[in-house]
């Protein structure tokens, strides 16, 4: 049992420290494992250096507990990693579903989210490309797509980071500008037009 517990305890501590650096929620588990490690180390000391000490009766249980904890913690950490990975993937898919694939701007699905988070003062800027049908008819839909991408990039590049650029129709965009009075919105809109 002495030889068995030597690799188990450091391995368990390694696993816990490794994953607690990624997630602070595991800190309480690290503290518990440290307490178990200290108790087992004390038992080892008593067994080797003070065999007449009566406080070694639970040593075998400590080794059994540590080996069980290693198994359970490894399984728990694998499930935790899987859950975190799934949450990230779900968040990425949710974000992707709210984006227009061509332009990268938000699509109309974002409106309920925007409405719930808007402050009292906000502005909305509507942008429509003049004669966009003529661009598609003359140069083709590929050129029209490039114009839409360029407009979306110009809007995102000239607005603030917390502003929402939404493609609301074929060549129609709007920008929702939180905490932006109308005078400031006019300046931002003129910058996009320029």
């Amino acid at each position: 049992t002495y030889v068995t517990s030597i690799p188990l305890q450091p391995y368990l501590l390694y696993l816990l420290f490794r994953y607690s650096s990624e997630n602070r929620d595991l800190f309480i588990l690290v503290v518990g494992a440290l307490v178990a490690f200290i108790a087992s180390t004390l038992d080892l000391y008593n067994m080797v250096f003070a065999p007449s000490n009566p406080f070694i009766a639970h040593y075998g249980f400590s080794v059994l507990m540590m080996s069980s904890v290693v198994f359970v913690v490894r399984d728990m950490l694998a499930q935790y990693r899987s859950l975190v990975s799934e949450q990230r993937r779900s968040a990425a898919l949710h974000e992707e579903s709210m984006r227009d694939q061509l332009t990268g701007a938000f699509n109309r699905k974002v409106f309920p989210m925007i409405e719930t988070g808007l402050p009292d003062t906000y502005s909305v800027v509507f942008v429509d490309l003049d004669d966009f049908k003529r661009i598609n008819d003359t140069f083709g839909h590929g050129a029209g797509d490039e114009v839409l991408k360029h407009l979306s990039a110009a809007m995102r590049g000239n607005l603030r980071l917390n502003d929402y650029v939404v493609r609301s129709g074929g060549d129609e965009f709007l920008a929702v500008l939180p905490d932006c009075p109308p005078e400031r919105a006019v300046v931002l809109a003129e910058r996009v037009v320029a």
Side-chain angles (χ1 to χ4, degrees), residues 20 42 45 76 81 98 122 129 134 188:
S20 67
L42 181 62
Y45 175 80
M76 180 194 72
R81 279 194 311 266
M98 298 180 117
Y122 66 93
L129 289 170
R134 189 168 52 99
L188 292 172

Side-chain angles (χ1 to χ4, degrees), residues 94-109:
H94 180 68
E95 172 77 14
E96 187 179 313
S97 75
M98 298 180 117
R99 295 271 181 190
D100 176 56
Q101 290 183 350
L102 176 66
T103 63
F106 285 107
N107 59 32
R108 291 183 217 174
K109 292 179 186 175

Side-chain angles (χ1 to χ4, degrees), residues 9-21 23-38 65-66 68-81:
Q9 292 180 11
Y11 181 62
L12 173 63
L13 290 173
Y14 159 75
L15 284 175
L16 289 172
F17 278 116
R18 180 175 160 203
Y19 292 106
S20 67
S21 66
N23 183 0
R24 300 288 176 214
D25 294 342
L26 296 177
F27 181 72
I28 189 67
L29 193 56
V30 171
V31 171
L34 279 172
V35 169
F37 177 75
I38 290 168
M65 181 214 45
M66 291 299 288
S68 300
V69 167
V70 167
F71 175 78
V72 170
V73 166
R74 284 193 64 183
D75 185 54
M76 180 194 72
L77 291 174
Q79 290 182 19
Y80 172 76
R81 279 194 311 266

